Amino acid sequence: MGGVTDPFLAAARCEPDPDRIPVWFMRQAGRSLPEYREARAGTTMLEACRIPELVCEITAQPVRRHGVDAAVFYSDIMVPLKAAGIDLDIVPGTGPVVAEPIRSRAQVDALPELGVEDLDFVTEAARLLVAELDVPLLGFCGAPFTLASYLVQGGPSKDHAVAKSFMVSEPETWNALCQRLAQYSEVFLRAQIEGGAAAVQVFDSWAGSLAPEDYRSFVKPHVRGLLGSVTDVPRIHFGVGTSELLADMAAAGCEVVGVDHRVPLAEASRRVGGGHAMQGNLDPALLKADWEVIAARVEAVIRSGAHTPGHIFNLGHGVPPDTDPTVLTRIVELVHEEGPTWRRDELERIADND
Amino acid sequence: MGGVTDPFLAAARCEPDPDRIPVWFMRQAGRSLPEYREARAGTTMLEACRIPELVCEITAQPVRRHGVDAAVFYSDIMVPLKAAGIDLDIVPGTGPVVAEPIRSRAQVDALPELGVEDLDFVTEAARLLVAELDVPLLGFCGAPFTLASYLVQGGPSKDHAVAKSFMVSEPETWNALCQRLAQYSEVFLRAQIEGGAAAVQVFDSWAGSLAPEDYRSFVKPHVRGLLGSVTDVPRIHFGVGTSELLADMAAAGCEVVGVDHRVPLAEASRRVGGGHAMQGNLDPALLKADWEVIAARVEAVIRSGAHTPGHIFNLGHGVPPDTDPTVLTRIVELVHEEGPTWRRDELERIADND
């Protein structure tokens, strides 16, 4: 298990191992792997998330296959909401669907508290994993805005129009909802940390749809509260299309900012003031490209990452389900074999220019 | 028809009328209007686009109803591709679907030339409109990247993975495809201008999905060529999620940069160097909010727009189909009645601070 010298945790603490650039992939455990599709056969997503042995197997699969430097807990951001009694399902090909969208104060007030004991299956799965893995286990959860968008819309949405209009029209009810959702996610993280997760990632996947002023008014306070509840482990804060939000997302309280492919890591680091490690950011849409092109992009990401206090290599978003997994394995090999040399070379170049 | 004193054209030329902030809405002609749904009944989208009288009626509907300051030609970015003989359809609820995705050099080389005479129904509709309208007619087209994404993917896509991987792996074929598509869009714009369109907007709707370096290498040269072919009218260049691309989009050759809701107009103007008019940028996802909230946002957009050399009020993206059209009419009234006062007030505030 990763101690202070683990390359993933070292990078997350801005003390990168000069001989190893850690790499993992968002959605590395999932549909891109034939062994995942086999393990999941006959079980719904939400059922699978409640079976510790299955969670353990699925979480470990990409570590075995790709040799990544972190295992990300296999679950779903909606799992704690389901455990709290909210009637929802994960519909294959669609995503989370909520039976009764939440749009009134009475509905928000009726949302029950969630205790860490309600997620004992999560803690148990994490324990199994930590006993088996020789890389750190990364816990995760959804951020209040992204969870609230699903609950208010009733399901996935391209523009989050119902949720955003509700947010600005009924801020008190919105804030009460987000506080409750932050509590659910905090318990979800705590259950994973109690089981041995050594770091966490908060996914605010849809935050990038917001104007910066709306992010600051209606979203940041809630995610700050959530991040502030897990200061005992390194925290990664991630969203898609967050060019305009990076400084606010860093300031919300995290050690690592997850960046999508739209902003080079060096520029992202500059925008947050240089004090945070960066995670990212190969465009997952390029995974179907010729290998020579992918390899050149991996090098460019690592060179840009050399301009940050710590770099965890990742994609800019999750692994697309139709990705050829052998490409991911090759990327891991390349990052491990050539990455430290590229970074050292870039650091020398920076020093020479100073 | 708008001459040099027309408020829309004046703002587009960075010589804004102090007494009028022009306003129109992307997708103002369309499904949000009951009279549109009635006019379109029994006719497919691509059929409707070929009937000049119907195009004229649909284009004029939002001008009559809302009192907007520009009419945007009713058509589709795929119309010139269809006219060139590409087998495609606009599927309701889905979007453009291409029978045979284009992924080889042979397919690109087989794409025929398009002549302005092939779009005589476009020119005819524009002529009818200019005779009827007392506001300028705005022509439009798709930019090469957005069109190429549909052709290579075969239809709409969230991540454009096939198109982007093709783009970086086979740049010569990609460039040949984009050159052909730029020619189609140029002819489409020319047909509208010959009919009397007084300005044009180039939609690169999906450009914001690109990393800046990819935009510069594979996309900007082609859209620059397209924009350079219509220097006889003011040009608006628009995309969604283009925070990182604004300076490049301005430099590609346009008078007006269309900005989505993620970047305040004053900041967008600063990023492009201050020499361009700005169009935007109320978040369309807020159109379901309480009127007081919408009104405050309209004021904020106009105040931000005062920090630019010219401001055309619009949404940050198209009108959602389920929008209550009475909200749009109220926004137009508000922009016209209060907008100039807000702008003057903001300009005085800026002068006082200098």
Side-chain angles (χ1 to χ4, degrees):
Chain A
M1 233 293 300
V4 283
T5 58
D6 173 85
F8 172 80
L9 297 174
R13 291 175 180 139
C14 295
E15 297 162 0
D17 181 339
D19 296 321
R20 183 90 163 185
I21 294 178
V23 47
W24 69 282
F25 304 109
M26 292 181 273
R27 290 200 189 278
Q28 64 187 13
R31 283 185 285 164
S32 67
L33 300 185
E35 60 268 34
Y36 166 81
R37 298 193 293 269
E38 194 178 314
R40 264 286 311 282
T43 316
T44 69
M45 171 97 199
L46 286 172
E47 283 168 0
C49 293
R50 295 187 70 99
I51 305 170
E53 295 73 18
L54 187 53
V55 169
C56 181
E57 165 60 21
I58 291 173
T59 301
Q61 283 173 350
V63 182
R64 283 184 219 128
R65 178 192 269 263
H66 300 312
V68 286
D69 296 291
V72 59
F73 191 74
Y74 176 75
S75 191
D76 189 90
I77 60 171
M78 304 303 277
V79 160
L81 284 63
K82 179 81 174 177
I86 297 174
D87 187 1
L88 63 88
D89 199 6
I90 313 279
V91 178
T94 299
V97 174
V98 180
E100 289 183 36
I102 292 183
R103 296 176 192 174
S104 75
R105 183 65 199 227
Q107 284 174 294
V108 172
D109 291 341
L111 291 172
E113 283 231 15
L114 182 73
V116 75
E117 65 282 1
D118 298 316
L119 296 174
D120 54 355
F121 57 93
V122 169
T123 305
E124 174 60 18
R127 282 207 184 100
L128 292 177
L129 273 160
V130 170
E132 177 177 329
L133 292 170
D134 55 6
V135 296
L137 176 64
L138 176 64
F140 79 99
C141 72
F145 172 73
T146 293
L147 295 173
S149 173
Y150 286 119
L151 286 188
V152 177
Q153 294 278 152
S157 164
K158 274 200 290 191
D159 61 5
H160 314 279
V162 180
K164 286 161 80 172
S165 289
F166 177 79
M167 175 181 85
V168 298
S169 298
E170 305 197 38
E172 286 185 24
T173 306
W174 171 264
N175 287 333
L177 174 61
C178 285
Q179 276 171 24
R180 178 57 71 184
L181 294 172
Q183 191 253 329
Y184 291 168
S185 280
E186 178 186 339
V187 169
F188 188 37
L189 291 181
R190 190 52 58 195
Q192 295 169 77
I193 293 169
E194 282 195 7
V200 294
Q201 174 157 328
V202 174
F203 283 85
D204 211 351
S205 305
W206 312 138
S209 71
L210 292 159
E213 64 170 298
D214 286 331
Y215 182 80
R216 283 179 212 120
S217 300
F218 300 106
V219 175
K220 188 180 174 185
H222 303 294
V223 75
R224 179 192 279 134
L226 171 61
L227 287 160
S229 71
V230 286
T231 52
D232 46 336
V233 293
R235 299 158 296 175
I236 307 170
H237 191 187
F238 169 77
V240 179
T242 55
S243 298
E244 304 302 315
L245 308 179
L246 290 170
D248 285 298
M249 289 180 70
C254 60
E255 285 65 41
V256 187
V257 180
V259 182
D260 84 359
H261 64 279
R262 291 174 178 84
V263 185
L265 294 177
E267 169 63 14
S269 181
R270 193 193 62 73
R271 288 188 198 178
V272 308
H276 289 70
M278 294 286 140
Q279 178 175 282
N281 66 350
L282 181 70
D283 186 351
L286 299 182
L287 291 174
K288 295 178 194 301
D290 291 347
W291 172 250
E292 292 67 28
V293 175
I294 294 174
R297 296 308 176 99
V298 169
E299 178 176 349
V301 167
I302 288 172
R303 287 184 180 274
S304 193
H307 298 246
T308 78
H311 177 208
I312 298 167
F313 191 97
N314 206 315
L315 305 177
H317 198 183
V319 174
D322 62 348
T323 299
D324 173 1
T326 63
V327 173
L328 298 178
T329 307
R330 284 186 83 174
I331 290 174
V332 172
E333 289 168 358
L334 186 64
V335 171
H336 285 164
E337 286 168 16
E338 302 293 338
T341 306
W342 289 328
R343 181 162 62 192
R344 268 192 292 270
D345 181 64
E346 189 70 15
L347 289 170
E348 283 169 23
R349 214 181 57 79
I350 297 167
D352 287 349
N353 286 349
D354 275 352
Chain B
M1 233 294 299
V4 283
T5 59
D6 172 84
F8 171 81
L9 296 175
R13 291 173 180 139
C14 295
E15 298 162 0
D17 181 340
D19 297 320
R20 183 91 164 185
I21 295 178
V23 47
W24 70 282
F25 304 109
M26 290 180 275
R27 289 201 189 278
Q28 63 187 13
R31 283 185 286 163
S32 66
L33 300 185
E35 60 268 33
Y36 167 81
R37 297 192 294 268
E38 193 177 316
R40 265 286 310 281
T43 316
T44 70
M45 171 98 199
L46 287 173
E47 283 168 359
C49 293
R50 295 187 70 100
I51 305 171
E53 294 74 17
L54 187 53
V55 169
C56 182
E57 165 60 21
I58 291 173
T59 301
Q61 284 174 348
V63 181
R64 284 183 220 128
R65 178 191 270 262
H66 300 310
V68 286
D69 296 291
V72 60
F73 192 75
Y74 176 76
S75 191
D76 189 273
I77 61 172
M78 304 303 276
V79 160
L81 284 61
K82 178 82 174 177
I86 297 174
D87 186 1
L88 63 89
D89 199 5
I90 313 278
V91 178
T94 299
V97 175
V98 180
E100 290 182 37
I102 292 183
R103 298 177 190 171
S104 74
R105 182 65 199 228
Q107 284 174 295
V108 172
D109 290 342
L111 289 172
E113 285 232 12
L114 182 72
V116 76
E117 66 283 0
D118 298 316
L119 295 174
D120 53 356
F121 57 94
V122 169
T123 305
E124 175 59 19
R127 283 209 183 97
L128 293 176
L129 273 160
V130 169
E132 177 177 328
L133 293 169
D134 55 6
V135 297
L137 176 64
L138 177 64
F140 80 99
C141 71
F145 172 74
T146 293
L147 296 172
S149 173
Y150 286 118
L151 286 188
V152 177
Q153 294 278 153
S157 164
K158 275 201 289 193
D159 61 5
H160 314 281
V162 180
K164 285 161 80 171
S165 289
F166 177 80
M167 174 182 85
V168 298
S169 299
E170 305 198 37
E172 285 185 24
T173 305
W174 171 265
N175 287 334
L177 174 61
C178 285
Q179 275 171 26
R180 177 57 72 187
L181 294 172
Q183 190 253 331
Y184 291 168
S185 280
E186 177 186 339
V187 169
F188 188 37
L189 290 181
R190 191 51 58 196
Q192 295 169 78
I193 294 169
E194 282 196 8
V200 294
Q201 174 157 328
V202 174
F203 284 85
D204 211 352
S205 304
W206 311 139
S209 70
L210 292 158
E213 65 169 297
D214 286 330
Y215 181 80
R216 283 179 213 120
S217 299
F218 300 106
V219 174
K220 187 179 175 186
H222 302 294
V223 75
R224 178 192 279 133
L226 171 61
L227 287 161
S229 71
V230 285
T231 52
D232 46 336
V233 293
R235 300 158 296 174
I236 307 171
H237 190 188
F238 169 77
V240 179
T242 54
S243 297
E244 304 301 316
L245 308 179
L246 290 170
D248 285 297
M249 289 179 69
C254 60
E255 284 66 41
V256 187
V257 179
V259 182
D260 84 359
H261 64 280
R262 291 173 178 83
V263 184
L265 294 178
E267 168 64 13
S269 181
R270 194 194 61 75
R271 287 189 198 178
V272 308
H276 289 71
M278 293 288 141
Q279 177 174 283
N281 66 351
L282 181 71
D283 186 352
L286 299 182
L287 291 173
K288 295 178 193 301
D290 291 347
W291 172 248
E292 291 68 27
V293 175
I294 294 174
R297 297 308 177 99
V298 170
E299 178 176 349
V301 167
I302 288 172
R303 286 185 181 272
S304 192
H307 298 246
T308 77
H311 177 207
I312 298 167
F313 191 97
N314 207 313
L315 305 176
H317 198 182
V319 174
D322 62 348
T323 300
D324 173 2
T326 64
V327 172
L328 299 178
T329 308
R330 285 185 82 175
I331 290 174
V332 172
E333 289 168 0
L334 186 65
V335 171
H336 285 164
E337 286 168 16
E338 302 293 338
T341 305
W342 289 328
R343 181 162 62 190
R344 269 192 291 269
D345 181 64
E346 190 69 16
L347 288 170
E348 283 168 22
R349 214 182 57 78
I350 297 167
D352 288 348
N353 286 348
D354 275 351

